[in-house]
Amino acid sequence: MAPKLKILKKDEWLSPFADAINGRHKDAINKEKDLLSGGAKSLADFANAHNYFGLHRLKDGSWVFREWAPHATGVTLTGDFSGWEEQPQYQLRRVEGSDGVWEGVFAPDAMHHGQLYKMIVDWPGARAERIPAYATRVVQDKDTAIFSAQIHMPERKFRWTDKAFTPDTAPLLIYECHIGMGQQKEGVGTYDEFRLNVLPRIAADGYNAIQIMAIQEHPYYGSFGYHVSNFFAASSRFGTPEELKKLINEAHKLGIAVIMDIVHSHAVKNEAEGIARLDGTPDLYFHSDPGRREHPAWDSLCFDYGKNQVLHFLLSNCKYWLEEYHFDGFRFDGVTSMLYYDHGLGKAFTQYGDYYDGGQDTDAITYLTLANKLIHELRPNAITIAEEMSGMPGLALPFKDGGMGFDYRMAMGIPDYWIKLLKEKSDEYWYPTSIFWELTNRRADEKTISYVESHDQALVGDKTVIFRLIDQKMYWHMMVDDNDGDVARGMALHKMIRLVTLATINGGYLNFMGNEFGHPEWIDFPREGNGWSYKYARRQWDLVDREDLKYKYLNAFDNAMIELVSGVYDFQALPVRKLWEKDSDQILAFMRGDLVFVFNFNPVKSFDGYGILAPGGVYDVVLSSDSPAFGGYGNIDEHTEHFTVPDPLYEPYGVERLPLYIPARTAMVLRKHPAKRKAKGAAAKKGK
């Protein structure tokens, strides 16, 4: 009898669903055996489709091209090298004994670097131009807007200098970003501009990782990169592959890990640009059942993870980005949509039975499990994050323990909570018990990425936290000498919300580009409805750089809290010890290591000599949201030592009272100094 999986040992409430959990574990084991039955020694050895399919240069200088198109009756390459005409010498032959592989070998002078090309694919009764599924470079013609594959094999290979780099995950502090909209200008930013202008800001802000969106090629810029057409091609609208590599290399030089937002949950429907109907059939990479093939909410196509060729394609895609571009890991998009046949749409997931009611896509679960195993086989220090909102148990547990192998899961309930609080509750009903529970309500054995807001909350149709707090007064009252009350409230709560979210992490923290300083504008990509304008598809860095505006205060506070947490090794692993919460006062206090975090959410009432419970000792203020350096009023004395006072009532619990002055709408962090406490006690004994 196989030993009981750890996930079942640690959570007895999962016992009724042991068969489902054991089943998904066995499914992954069996599928891996199946994939390796062809002779591969490991998943890393198996995931090499990109080295076989697509266009490659052989040692003798000749070219070889292969494509998987089982329904095709003929495949011919056409492009600049053939005058875009169909020529016999560029016809492919069907490989005998294969399951639909087409191959062609061409002379060294048959094509060269920089030329554009496509395939002409014939199938019964029709033919069409297609971009190869494994194309590693796809470009769009500026005049015709037509996309084509491009031969990209420069003579000089990029020289990496990042061999010694290892991601810092103690804790992981992520700056979510988008290359195209990372610039001040009204237009599309480039890899080079991001490297030169934005990376230094991120390094100065103290974040140790960036999570880059929209890397995989996508035909519609406004899709935010989530309707992928070419899975092996880095988006050419931002620059060349070498320029992306240079960006990643520089990030590593600055100590910043680079996480790719990878989309394996669906694909764009476009046939001329993507992999839809590549060989004339609608189900080559996708489900044969139209009801499962088309995503009901995203207007896209869903992969059939039960097909080995699809697993070959997607697993190889993971390996390609790790090895070719040195990405440090992936944030898998749309995982909830993958896990369930109904994509999790309209389902509340309020009890364990909701996860094991027969609606789970076991093939997708198997793929995600094998993807995580492959990624960590290739790069033991790689980072994998699941964007998943249902709360499926075991998602971020190691495979050996019965999990799917992700390192982290996104705490998607936290931004939803903050939005609901801002929309539905007036300030006097911001209760610490509710806030603390929401921020710490998670599976103890699974690490999460906590965040106040990501790109999702910054899109048109929604509002950023700062805009919900201050609204249109941001346009008129953000001058340093303007004392508008609504702005003061908004800035105070913006700082407190971020600090309490960061302070309670159990894995990592994420911030979307510009939100650290309260970027005032939403995100609206160029589209017909806005006259194809780039006005809101950019970041206004000049706002935080200006000395006469208050944005600099929010940025300085973000820097300070990031620096504080970064200075505590494995901060995210320290227990969160609640010291005090009182809803009637709206006071919350908790401790991690030697740091005490104190929050007064009360909108009008300040407290003098307020005694929270804390371990006996001497405490110094190390961070105050009310500091003038952060746009506050300086009502917290940051230079006074705070001594605990013994209280017989709480002595059996090993705590004393720590009297503090806590102004309304402020947060402070204090550090305990055991050495000072010890010295004080020794002096008292000597006096006796």
PDB file of all heavy atoms in Angstrom, residues 615-619 641-644 656 672-687:
ATOM      1  N   PRO A 615       5.496  41.408  24.116  1.00  0.00           N
ATOM      2  CA  PRO A 615       6.557  40.877  24.977  1.00  0.00           C
ATOM      3  C   PRO A 615       7.301  42.008  25.674  1.00  0.00           C
ATOM      4  O   PRO A 615       7.545  43.058  25.079  1.00  0.00           O
ATOM      5  CB  PRO A 615       7.470  40.135  23.990  1.00  0.00           C
ATOM      6  CG  PRO A 615       6.574  39.793  22.843  1.00  0.00           C
ATOM      7  CD  PRO A 615       5.623  40.937  22.731  1.00  0.00           C
ATOM      8  N   GLY A 616       7.654  41.801  26.933  1.00  0.00           N
ATOM      9  CA  GLY A 616       8.323  42.847  27.694  1.00  0.00           C
ATOM     10  C   GLY A 616       9.638  43.270  27.072  1.00  0.00           C
ATOM     11  O   GLY A 616      10.407  42.440  26.591  1.00  0.00           O
ATOM     12  N   GLY A 617       9.891  44.582  27.091  1.00  0.00           N
ATOM     13  CA  GLY A 617      11.137  45.077  26.531  1.00  0.00           C
ATOM     14  C   GLY A 617      11.059  46.538  26.160  1.00  0.00           C
ATOM     15  O   GLY A 617      10.132  47.259  26.534  1.00  0.00           O
ATOM     16  N   VAL A 618      12.060  46.967  25.403  1.00  0.00           N
ATOM     17  CA  VAL A 618      12.152  48.344  24.931  1.00  0.00           C
ATOM     18  C   VAL A 618      11.956  48.341  23.421  1.00  0.00           C
ATOM     19  O   VAL A 618      12.522  47.504  22.713  1.00  0.00           O
ATOM     20  CB  VAL A 618      13.526  48.958  25.279  1.00  0.00           C
ATOM     21  CG1 VAL A 618      13.567  50.425  24.872  1.00  0.00           C
ATOM     22  CG2 VAL A 618      13.818  48.807  26.762  1.00  0.00           C
ATOM     23  N   TYR A 619      11.142  49.282  22.933  1.00  0.00           N
ATOM     24  CA  TYR A 619      10.801  49.335  21.516  1.00  0.00           C
ATOM     25  C   TYR A 619      11.116  50.707  20.929  1.00  0.00           C
ATOM     26  O   TYR A 619      10.872  51.730  21.567  1.00  0.00           O
ATOM     27  CB  TYR A 619       9.308  49.040  21.322  1.00  0.00           C
ATOM     28  CG  TYR A 619       8.914  47.617  21.656  1.00  0.00           C
ATOM     29  CD1 TYR A 619       8.705  47.232  22.988  1.00  0.00           C
ATOM     30  CD2 TYR A 619       8.753  46.667  20.655  1.00  0.00           C
ATOM     31  CE1 TYR A 619       8.332  45.927  23.298  1.00  0.00           C
ATOM     32  CE2 TYR A 619       8.379  45.366  20.961  1.00  0.00           C
ATOM     33  CZ  TYR A 619       8.175  45.002  22.279  1.00  0.00           C
ATOM     34  OH  TYR A 619       7.815  43.708  22.581  1.00  0.00           O
ATOM     35  N   GLU A 641      12.051  56.167  22.955  1.00  0.00           N
ATOM     36  CA  GLU A 641      12.026  54.753  23.290  1.00  0.00           C
ATOM     37  C   GLU A 641      10.731  54.449  24.037  1.00  0.00           C
ATOM     38  O   GLU A 641      10.275  55.235  24.874  1.00  0.00           O
ATOM     39  CB  GLU A 641      13.225  54.376  24.162  1.00  0.00           C
ATOM     40  CG  GLU A 641      14.551  54.409  23.421  1.00  0.00           C
ATOM     41  CD  GLU A 641      15.688  53.913  24.303  1.00  0.00           C
ATOM     42  OE1 GLU A 641      15.599  54.097  25.541  1.00  0.00           O
ATOM     43  OE2 GLU A 641      16.651  53.341  23.769  1.00  0.00           O
ATOM     44  N   HIS A 642      10.151  53.293  23.748  1.00  0.00           N
ATOM     45  CA  HIS A 642       8.895  52.901  24.368  1.00  0.00           C
ATOM     46  C   HIS A 642       9.130  51.665  25.238  1.00  0.00           C
ATOM     47  O   HIS A 642       9.624  50.644  24.751  1.00  0.00           O
ATOM     48  CB  HIS A 642       7.843  52.610  23.307  1.00  0.00           C
ATOM     49  CG  HIS A 642       7.516  53.800  22.450  1.00  0.00           C
ATOM     50  ND1 HIS A 642       6.533  54.698  22.771  1.00  0.00           N
ATOM     51  CD2 HIS A 642       8.067  54.250  21.298  1.00  0.00           C
ATOM     52  CE1 HIS A 642       6.469  55.643  21.856  1.00  0.00           C
ATOM     53  NE2 HIS A 642       7.402  55.389  20.947  1.00  0.00           N
ATOM     54  N   PHE A 643       8.778  51.763  26.519  1.00  0.00           N
ATOM     55  CA  PHE A 643       9.003  50.685  27.475  1.00  0.00           C
ATOM     56  C   PHE A 643       7.677  50.005  27.811  1.00  0.00           C
ATOM     57  O   PHE A 643       6.652  50.669  27.999  1.00  0.00           O
ATOM     58  CB  PHE A 643       9.623  51.232  28.768  1.00  0.00           C
ATOM     59  CG  PHE A 643      10.995  51.821  28.576  1.00  0.00           C
ATOM     60  CD1 PHE A 643      11.140  53.144  28.164  1.00  0.00           C
ATOM     61  CD2 PHE A 643      12.127  51.061  28.802  1.00  0.00           C
ATOM     62  CE1 PHE A 643      12.402  53.700  27.980  1.00  0.00           C
ATOM     63  CE2 PHE A 643      13.396  51.610  28.627  1.00  0.00           C
ATOM     64  CZ  PHE A 643      13.530  52.923  28.207  1.00  0.00           C
ATOM     65  N   THR A 644       7.705  48.692  27.885  1.00  0.00           N
ATOM     66  CA  THR A 644       6.498  47.978  28.310  1.00  0.00           C
ATOM     67  C   THR A 644       6.316  48.130  29.818  1.00  0.00           C
ATOM     68  O   THR A 644       7.270  48.377  30.561  1.00  0.00           O
ATOM     69  CB  THR A 644       6.581  46.487  27.950  1.00  0.00           C
ATOM     70  OG1 THR A 644       7.761  45.923  28.536  1.00  0.00           O
ATOM     71  CG2 THR A 644       6.623  46.285  26.445  1.00  0.00           C
ATOM     72  N   GLU A 656       3.310  42.114  28.327  1.00  0.00           N
ATOM     73  CA  GLU A 656       3.096  43.300  29.139  1.00  0.00           C
ATOM     74  C   GLU A 656       2.369  44.330  28.292  1.00  0.00           C
ATOM     75  O   GLU A 656       2.119  44.108  27.102  1.00  0.00           O
ATOM     76  CB  GLU A 656       4.446  43.846  29.635  1.00  0.00           C
ATOM     77  CG  GLU A 656       5.218  42.859  30.491  1.00  0.00           C
ATOM     78  CD  GLU A 656       6.550  43.419  30.989  1.00  0.00           C
ATOM     79  OE1 GLU A 656       6.882  44.575  30.645  1.00  0.00           O
ATOM     80  OE2 GLU A 656       7.255  42.698  31.716  1.00  0.00           O
ATOM     81  N   LYS A 672      11.696  45.643  18.733  1.00  0.00           N
ATOM     82  CA  LYS A 672      12.049  45.293  20.109  1.00  0.00           C
ATOM     83  C   LYS A 672      13.558  45.106  20.233  1.00  0.00           C
ATOM     84  O   LYS A 672      14.190  44.500  19.373  1.00  0.00           O
ATOM     85  CB  LYS A 672      11.342  43.999  20.514  1.00  0.00           C
ATOM     86  CG  LYS A 672      11.585  43.552  21.943  1.00  0.00           C
ATOM     87  CD  LYS A 672      10.758  42.306  22.235  1.00  0.00           C
ATOM     88  CE  LYS A 672      10.958  41.865  23.674  1.00  0.00           C
ATOM     89  NZ  LYS A 672      12.302  41.283  23.881  1.00  0.00           N
ATOM     90  N   HIS A 673      14.115  45.616  21.317  1.00  0.00           N
ATOM     91  CA  HIS A 673      15.551  45.510  21.553  1.00  0.00           C
ATOM     92  C   HIS A 673      15.798  44.706  22.822  1.00  0.00           C
ATOM     93  O   HIS A 673      15.802  45.263  23.922  1.00  0.00           O
ATOM     94  CB  HIS A 673      16.178  46.895  21.672  1.00  0.00           C
ATOM     95  CG  HIS A 673      16.145  47.674  20.394  1.00  0.00           C
ATOM     96  ND1 HIS A 673      17.011  47.450  19.358  1.00  0.00           N
ATOM     97  CD2 HIS A 673      15.313  48.662  19.980  1.00  0.00           C
ATOM     98  CE1 HIS A 673      16.732  48.278  18.355  1.00  0.00           C
ATOM     99  NE2 HIS A 673      15.701  49.017  18.708  1.00  0.00           N
ATOM    100  N   PRO A 674      16.010  43.410  22.700  1.00  0.00           N
ATOM    101  CA  PRO A 674      16.230  42.565  23.878  1.00  0.00           C
ATOM    102  C   PRO A 674      17.420  43.007  24.708  1.00  0.00           C
ATOM    103  O   PRO A 674      17.398  42.915  25.932  1.00  0.00           O
ATOM    104  CB  PRO A 674      16.466  41.178  23.269  1.00  0.00           C
ATOM    105  CG  PRO A 674      15.856  41.251  21.907  1.00  0.00           C
ATOM    106  CD  PRO A 674      16.037  42.659  21.464  1.00  0.00           C
ATOM    107  N   ALA A 675      18.480  43.487  24.055  1.00  0.00           N
ATOM    108  CA  ALA A 675      19.684  43.890  24.783  1.00  0.00           C
ATOM    109  C   ALA A 675      19.386  45.029  25.744  1.00  0.00           C
ATOM    110  O   ALA A 675      19.857  45.058  26.885  1.00  0.00           O
ATOM    111  CB  ALA A 675      20.773  44.303  23.804  1.00  0.00           C
ATOM    112  N   LYS A 676      18.575  45.983  25.318  1.00  0.00           N
ATOM    113  CA  LYS A 676      18.232  47.117  26.175  1.00  0.00           C
ATOM    114  C   LYS A 676      17.391  46.652  27.356  1.00  0.00           C
ATOM    115  O   LYS A 676      17.540  47.129  28.474  1.00  0.00           O
ATOM    116  CB  LYS A 676      17.469  48.168  25.367  1.00  0.00           C
ATOM    117  CG  LYS A 676      18.328  48.919  24.360  1.00  0.00           C
ATOM    118  CD  LYS A 676      17.549  50.049  23.717  1.00  0.00           C
ATOM    119  CE  LYS A 676      18.428  50.826  22.738  1.00  0.00           C
ATOM    120  NZ  LYS A 676      17.687  51.949  22.115  1.00  0.00           N
ATOM    121  N   ARG A 677      16.488  45.722  27.124  1.00  0.00           N
ATOM    122  CA  ARG A 677      15.652  45.197  28.193  1.00  0.00           C
ATOM    123  C   ARG A 677      16.506  44.497  29.227  1.00  0.00           C
ATOM    124  O   ARG A 677      16.326  44.664  30.446  1.00  0.00           O
ATOM    125  CB  ARG A 677      14.630  44.226  27.605  1.00  0.00           C
ATOM    126  CG  ARG A 677      13.688  43.617  28.633  1.00  0.00           C
ATOM    127  CD  ARG A 677      12.792  44.686  29.232  1.00  0.00           C
ATOM    128  NE  ARG A 677      11.824  44.110  30.149  1.00  0.00           N
ATOM    129  CZ  ARG A 677      10.928  44.794  30.809  1.00  0.00           C
ATOM    130  NH1 ARG A 677      10.887  46.110  30.671  1.00  0.00           N
ATOM    131  NH2 ARG A 677      10.070  44.202  31.619  1.00  0.00           N
ATOM    132  N   LYS A 678      17.471  43.730  28.743  1.00  0.00           N
ATOM    133  CA  LYS A 678      18.356  42.992  29.628  1.00  0.00           C
ATOM    134  C   LYS A 678      19.190  43.943  30.469  1.00  0.00           C
ATOM    135  O   LYS A 678      19.372  43.761  31.676  1.00  0.00           O
ATOM    136  CB  LYS A 678      19.265  42.082  28.797  1.00  0.00           C
ATOM    137  CG  LYS A 678      20.168  41.182  29.617  1.00  0.00           C
ATOM    138  CD  LYS A 678      20.974  40.285  28.700  1.00  0.00           C
ATOM    139  CE  LYS A 678      21.894  39.379  29.514  1.00  0.00           C
ATOM    140  NZ  LYS A 678      22.709  38.515  28.630  1.00  0.00           N
ATOM    141  N   ALA A 679      19.718  44.983  29.824  1.00  0.00           N
ATOM    142  CA  ALA A 679      20.540  45.968  30.535  1.00  0.00           C
ATOM    143  C   ALA A 679      19.730  46.671  31.609  1.00  0.00           C
ATOM    144  O   ALA A 679      20.187  46.924  32.722  1.00  0.00           O
ATOM    145  CB  ALA A 679      21.105  46.978  29.550  1.00  0.00           C
ATOM    146  N   LYS A 680      18.502  47.003  31.303  1.00  0.00           N
ATOM    147  CA  LYS A 680      17.639  47.694  32.257  1.00  0.00           C
ATOM    148  C   LYS A 680      17.374  46.809  33.476  1.00  0.00           C
ATOM    149  O   LYS A 680      17.419  47.254  34.625  1.00  0.00           O
ATOM    150  CB  LYS A 680      16.324  48.070  31.582  1.00  0.00           C
ATOM    151  CG  LYS A 680      15.380  48.863  32.480  1.00  0.00           C
ATOM    152  CD  LYS A 680      14.032  49.051  31.812  1.00  0.00           C
ATOM    153  CE  LYS A 680      13.066  49.739  32.776  1.00  0.00           C
ATOM    154  NZ  LYS A 680      11.706  49.755  32.241  1.00  0.00           N
ATOM    155  N   GLY A 681      17.125  45.503  33.199  1.00  0.00           N
ATOM    156  CA  GLY A 681      16.855  44.578  34.289  1.00  0.00           C
ATOM    157  C   GLY A 681      18.070  44.391  35.188  1.00  0.00           C
ATOM    158  O   GLY A 681      17.959  44.335  36.410  1.00  0.00           O
ATOM    159  N   ALA A 682      19.260  44.320  34.563  1.00  0.00           N
ATOM    160  CA  ALA A 682      20.498  44.153  35.335  1.00  0.00           C
ATOM    161  C   ALA A 682      20.739  45.361  36.229  1.00  0.00           C
ATOM    162  O   ALA A 682      21.153  45.238  37.384  1.00  0.00           O
ATOM    163  CB  ALA A 682      21.672  43.948  34.380  1.00  0.00           C
ATOM    164  N   ALA A 683      20.459  46.544  35.698  1.00  0.00           N
ATOM    165  CA  ALA A 683      20.659  47.774  36.471  1.00  0.00           C
ATOM    166  C   ALA A 683      19.712  47.811  37.664  1.00  0.00           C
ATOM    167  O   ALA A 683      20.068  48.242  38.765  1.00  0.00           O
ATOM    168  CB  ALA A 683      20.426  48.989  35.574  1.00  0.00           C
ATOM    169  N   ALA A 684      18.505  47.325  37.467  1.00  0.00           N
ATOM    170  CA  ALA A 684      17.528  47.327  38.551  1.00  0.00           C
ATOM    171  C   ALA A 684      17.968  46.399  39.684  1.00  0.00           C
ATOM    172  O   ALA A 684      17.854  46.729  40.872  1.00  0.00           O
ATOM    173  CB  ALA A 684      16.168  46.891  38.015  1.00  0.00           C
ATOM    174  N   LYS A 685      18.514  45.218  39.307  1.00  0.00           N
ATOM    175  CA  LYS A 685      18.982  44.276  40.320  1.00  0.00           C
ATOM    176  C   LYS A 685      20.162  44.839  41.107  1.00  0.00           C
ATOM    177  O   LYS A 685      20.280  44.680  42.308  1.00  0.00           O
ATOM    178  CB  LYS A 685      19.380  42.958  39.654  1.00  0.00           C
ATOM    179  CG  LYS A 685      18.190  42.137  39.167  1.00  0.00           C
ATOM    180  CD  LYS A 685      18.652  40.825  38.566  1.00  0.00           C
ATOM    181  CE  LYS A 685      17.450  40.007  38.093  1.00  0.00           C
ATOM    182  NZ  LYS A 685      17.863  38.723  37.481  1.00  0.00           N
ATOM    183  N   LYS A 686      21.052  45.538  40.407  1.00  0.00           N
ATOM    184  CA  LYS A 686      22.234  46.119  41.035  1.00  0.00           C
ATOM    185  C   LYS A 686      21.816  47.170  42.054  1.00  0.00           C
ATOM    186  O   LYS A 686      22.403  47.313  43.127  1.00  0.00           O
ATOM    187  CB  LYS A 686      23.140  46.724  39.970  1.00  0.00           C
ATOM    188  CG  LYS A 686      24.479  47.199  40.510  1.00  0.00           C
ATOM    189  CD  LYS A 686      25.363  47.681  39.367  1.00  0.00           C
ATOM    190  CE  LYS A 686      26.726  48.118  39.926  1.00  0.00           C
ATOM    191  NZ  LYS A 686      27.607  48.603  38.851  1.00  0.00           N
ATOM    192  N   GLY A 687      20.770  47.923  41.719  1.00  0.00           N
ATOM    193  CA  GLY A 687      20.270  48.968  42.612  1.00  0.00           C
ATOM    194  C   GLY A 687      19.750  48.388  43.912  1.00  0.00           C
ATOM    195  O   GLY A 687      19.882  48.975  44.990  1.00  0.00           O
TER     196      GLY A 687
END
